[in-house]
Amino acid sequence: MSDALINGLAGAGGGIIAQLITYPLQSVNTRQQTERDVKKAKRKHGTLEQMCQVVKNEGWGRLYSGLAPSIVGTACSQGVYYYFYQIFRDRAEAIARENKRNGIGDGSVGMLSSLMVAALAGCTNVLLTNPIWVVVTRMQTHTKNSNKSQPGHSSIAPDEKGLDPIECPPYGTGHAIQELYDEAGIQGFWKGVFPTLIMVSNPSMQFMLYETMLKKLKRKRALVKQGDTGVAALEIFLLGALAKLGATVVTYPLLVVKSRLQAKQTTTGDKRHHYEGTLDAILKMIRYEGLHGFYKGMSTKIVQSVLAAAVLFMIKEELVRGARMLLTKGGTSRGRTRPA
């Protein structure tokens, strides 16, 4: 099994577990980012308070709305990203070794090369998986009140005997896909792809920071423990958290713009809430909400992103380590049982 495949599968597994742990935070954060009512935004409800309001008004299930496509998206995104990242990384390392033989460099992949490798893997991932995340965003931002305007959803008033109104059918993945297709056709599934491609700088920065810190830690560990470069799971957890924190702070405004474009667009009424594209969204947000609008829900996102990234890195590294040990033991066992 190749290193690229091992890293791809490990990344998918780590991503799914991280997503399951942090999904309620992600749902609340997406609602914060797409809140376009300035009066509501100024109330500044805390993350926990907003989660309680969602549970009270819409039920526990709404915190996990879109979880199924999100898990699929996470598995695909992490798998695709780590698979191509390892392929591009192996190529960069081969070039660095070749340069060293020619008297150029020390044979290691530099910071700029690491950034380029992460960017290439990120762009490949975005182009292949963007449709999944548009559907997830639709489901996360859908509320019970939205049913009133949904095609195929009708609210029935209670009868004279005081019976409860008939509940609207749940807003599932199929509803979100149909709504998106009716609204914008096939191209609607790539809404927000431009700011998302720019946001490739987030994982690029994240991996550049992570690998730089990891390389320094291993170097110091080798000096102190005479060649032992092993890194504990807790240390990987902390390195992943620090790397994600730095990347999130820098790229958060683009994440807000992407969420606004992918959420359901207002086609009637106040045109301030309808965005024609990336530039239109940025200009309207600056005009009607100010710079504050680009940082809505940032504290929630930092907690969610840092926790998810830390869990992801820790689990991925453990899975990669475990897979390599199994493959090594399997190869040794086959070698011993091979007839003379």
Side-chain angles (χ1 to χ4, degrees):
M1 188 181 290
S2 68
D3 263 358
L5 186 57
I6 291 174
N7 277 272
L9 293 174
I16 288 173
I17 294 172
Q19 187 81 329
L20 288 170
I21 292 172
T22 64
Y23 196 78
L25 285 171
Q26 189 182 101
S27 293
V28 170
N29 180 240
T30 303
R31 291 192 178 204
Q32 291 171 336
Q33 292 171 349
T34 55
E35 177 55 64
R36 303 169 197 182
D37 189 329
V38 178
K39 293 181 180 178
K40 286 184 180 179
K42 287 182 178 178
R43 294 173 192 169
K44 293 184 178 179
H45 293 304
T47 302
L48 289 177
E49 186 179 354
Q50 285 188 293
M51 290 176 71
C52 290
Q53 285 182 345
V54 172
V55 172
K56 180 181 177 180
N57 299 328
E58 304 175 50
W60 281 97
R62 190 55 64 183
L63 286 176
Y64 292 90
S65 181
L67 180 61
S70 180
I71 288 177
V72 173
T74 298
C76 292
S77 292
Q78 297 298 336
V80 167
Y81 184 86
Y82 280 107
Y83 180 78
F84 283 100
Y85 179 85
Q86 193 62 45
I87 288 176
F88 296 142
R89 179 81 185 182
D90 290 345
R91 180 59 182 161
E93 289 175 349
I95 293 173
R97 288 193 295 269
E98 182 64 28
N99 287 338
K100 184 180 180 181
R101 284 194 288 269
N102 295 330
I104 303 172
D106 60 358
S108 63
V109 178
M111 187 176 291
L112 181 60
S113 296
S114 294
L115 187 63
M116 289 298 296
V117 165
L120 286 171
C123 287
T124 305
N125 171 41
V126 166
L127 293 173
L128 292 176
T129 65
N130 194 74
I132 301 173
W133 296 114
V134 178
V135 172
V136 171
T137 300
R138 287 296 177 103
M139 296 181 73
Q140 288 177 335
T141 56
H142 181 83
T143 62
K144 280 190 174 181
N145 292 334
S146 302
N147 285 333
K148 298 175 183 177
S149 60
Q150 294 301 323
H153 292 284
S154 60
S155 58
I156 301 176
D159 61 20
E160 294 177 358
K161 294 182 181 179
L163 295 176
D164 291 334
I166 297 174
E167 284 289 330
C168 295
Y171 185 77
T173 306
H175 291 107
I177 293 172
Q178 186 62 52
E179 176 188 84
L180 185 58
Y181 181 78
D182 291 342
E183 182 182 303
I186 292 295
Q187 64 183 16
F189 291 92
W190 275 269
K191 279 189 173 186
V193 73
F194 183 68
T196 308
L197 282 171
I198 299 176
M199 274 184 61
V200 162
S201 58
N202 183 296
S204 298
M205 289 180 193
Q206 176 187 344
F207 272 89
M208 179 185 68
L209 291 171
Y210 172 75
E211 295 222 340
T212 301
M213 291 188 291
L214 184 62
K215 188 184 295 184
K216 289 183 178 179
L217 180 60
K218 285 183 175 181
R219 194 174 297 164
K220 288 183 179 179
R221 185 66 46 81
L223 292 173
V224 174
K225 295 189 176 181
Q226 299 180 346
D228 181 12
T229 59
V231 181
L234 180 59
E235 292 172 319
I236 292 172
F237 182 94
L238 294 174
L239 289 179
L242 287 172
K244 189 63 178 179
L245 176 61
T248 298
V249 170
V250 174
T251 61
Y252 190 77
L254 284 170
L255 181 61
V256 175
V257 173
K258 181 206 72 149
S259 295
R260 293 288 183 96
L261 290 169
Q262 292 181 345
K264 183 174 174 60
Q265 296 293 303
T266 304
T267 54
T268 58
D270 197 343
K271 293 298 181 182
R272 293 180 302 175
H273 299 163
H274 179 73
Y275 307 125
E276 298 293 341
T278 303
L279 182 59
D280 184 49
I282 292 172
L283 293 176
K284 283 181 177 177
M285 287 178 67
I286 292 173
R287 181 177 178 184
Y288 299 115
E289 301 176 55
L291 293 178
H292 167 75
F294 292 94
Y295 292 92
K296 285 182 177 179
M298 185 172 179
S299 59
T300 306
K301 184 61 181 177
I302 287 176
V303 173
Q304 185 269 326
S305 294
V306 169
L307 179 59
V311 171
L312 167 62
F313 278 116
M314 182 178 68
I315 293 175
K316 173 190 171 287
E317 293 295 338
E318 290 300 309
L319 289 174
V320 169
R321 189 179 303 170
R324 285 174 177 164
M325 284 178 62
L326 287 173
L327 289 173
T328 302
K329 287 180 180 179
T332 304
S333 299
R334 284 194 298 271
R336 287 176 179 173
T337 57
R338 188 175 296 164

